[in-house]
Amino acid sequence: MKASVIIPTKNAGRQFERVLDAVVAQQAPWAFEVLVVDSGSTDGTVELVRATDGVRLHEIPPEEFGHGKTRNLGVSLTSGEFIAVITHDALPVNDRWLRELIDAAEQSDDIAGVFGRHLSYEHDGPFMERDLRLHFDGFTQWPAVMRLDDPERYRSDQGYRQLLHFFSDNNACLRRSVWEKIPYPDVDFAEDQLWAQQIIEAGYARAYADRAVVFHSHTYGFIDLFRRSFDESRALQRLFGYELCPSVTQMLGQSARTIWADIRYFFKAGIPLTEIAWLFKVPLRNTARQLGYYLGQRHQRLPQAVVQRVSRDMSLQRK
């Protein structure tokens, strides 16, 4: 079989029906399969999957879930030469999403993985739309297929390493033959970027597919944004040594800079005043993000009980 699609779920919500319908409706000149791996849903997700033709369901207890571990399980239960991985809230924008991922992967035999563009859901506001657009526009300034071509720069330039390591399995595909040698690491966060680091350092290539597009965004409340930023900073510091916010001075300065940038953008972009509620959220949102980065950077100095309480990801896994 050419391709498999794996979707991990837990209480996926109403949006998941649209996602599942869009995945099943993909058009391709080859056969593909769809597998949902559910870890204890109680909201009707399991019943929806069972009622959807062409989709297999595999259930695991909640305590067995792991970001890398569960995706590895899903890959092991499928047979596609390529494995597309998305999340339950990543909605393909059209019926060519899967084909675009696979076409990108087939550009070269050494491409281990491909990731695609994310678009913001309209309800997540103008700042999320801007952030995602600029983020993924950045990848179009580089070759679509990237390898570790400059070892000296890789050693000395953190930005270059971050570029090569970026990979989002909210919208991606893996080559099975490479996954068999280098499966996802069993970590609690950033399994996709750690996997990208491993395949790049092993001599494989990573590709970006700008036309393989999903709607995928989250506008967290202030507390959840703080906790999500804590998890991100903690993981990137622990796994890669990245410093997202190394000092109080930087935390305060970056908060002020991003607040001012958002205010300027709101008016320069001509955003309708009907959206002005987003503007009033700017100070708290930017401060919450930077505070999360700062504390996540210092997670080793915090009691483990505090880390577990602050971490959003740990909290979700306990539910």
Side-chain angles (χ1 to χ4, degrees), residues 246-318:
S247 68
V248 172
T249 300
Q250 180 162 333
M251 177 187 72
L252 296 175
Q254 188 64 8
S255 295
R257 284 188 291 272
T258 53
I259 290 168
W260 177 236
D262 282 354
I263 293 171
R264 289 182 61 200
Y265 174 76
F266 187 90
F267 292 106
K268 285 186 68 176
I271 297 169
L273 289 179
T274 54
E275 300 286 321
I276 201 167
W278 291 102
L279 190 60
F280 291 115
K281 298 176 183 179
V282 160
L284 276 175
R285 289 188 57 78
N286 284 285
T287 302
R289 181 182 292 110
Q290 295 303 321
L291 180 59
Y293 288 161
Y294 176 77
L295 290 179
Q297 191 80 51
R298 286 151 185 76
H299 68 95
Q300 293 177 328
R301 306 179 191 178
L302 302 175
Q304 185 60 23
V306 173
V307 171
Q308 290 180 344
R309 186 170 182 82
V310 172
S311 169
R312 182 176 185 272
D313 198 61
M314 291 182 181
S315 175
L316 291 174
Q317 291 187 39
R318 289 194 299 269

Side-chain angles (χ1 to χ4, degrees), residues 15 18-19 22-23 25-26 86 89-98 100 116-121 171 209-216:
Q15 175 70 13
R18 294 178 64 200
V19 172
V23 169
Q26 291 297 299
I86 61 172
D89 53 356
L91 174 66
V93 301
N94 56 38
D95 62 9
R96 288 186 56 85
W97 158 78
L98 180 59
E100 295 288 355
R117 181 179 285 267
H118 300 189
L119 298 179
S120 173
Y121 286 111
N171 177 23
D210 195 51
R211 295 188 297 182
V213 188
V214 299
F215 288 105
H216 180 261

Side-chain angles (χ1 to χ4, degrees), residues 173-194:
C173 85
L174 321 176
R175 187 183 295 269
R176 181 178 297 275
S177 61
V178 176
W179 172 85
E180 289 172 345
K181 300 171 186 175
I182 309 175
Y184 274 119
D186 185 9
V187 292
D188 58 4
F189 203 88
E191 77 293 336
D192 42 11
Q193 296 190 57
L194 190 56

Side-chain angles (χ1 to χ4, degrees), residues 1-6 20-35 53-56 78-84 95 97-99 102:
M1 183 174 291
K2 174 67 75 172
S4 305
V5 182
I6 296 170
L20 202 56
D21 287 346
V23 169
V24 172
Q26 291 297 299
Q27 298 296 306
W30 25 256
F32 65 92
E33 61 181 333
V34 181
L35 172 69
D53 292 337
V55 179
R56 285 195 294 135
T78 58
S79 60
E81 178 185 356
F82 297 97
I83 307 98
D95 62 9
W97 158 78
L98 180 59
R99 185 171 182 175
I102 305 308

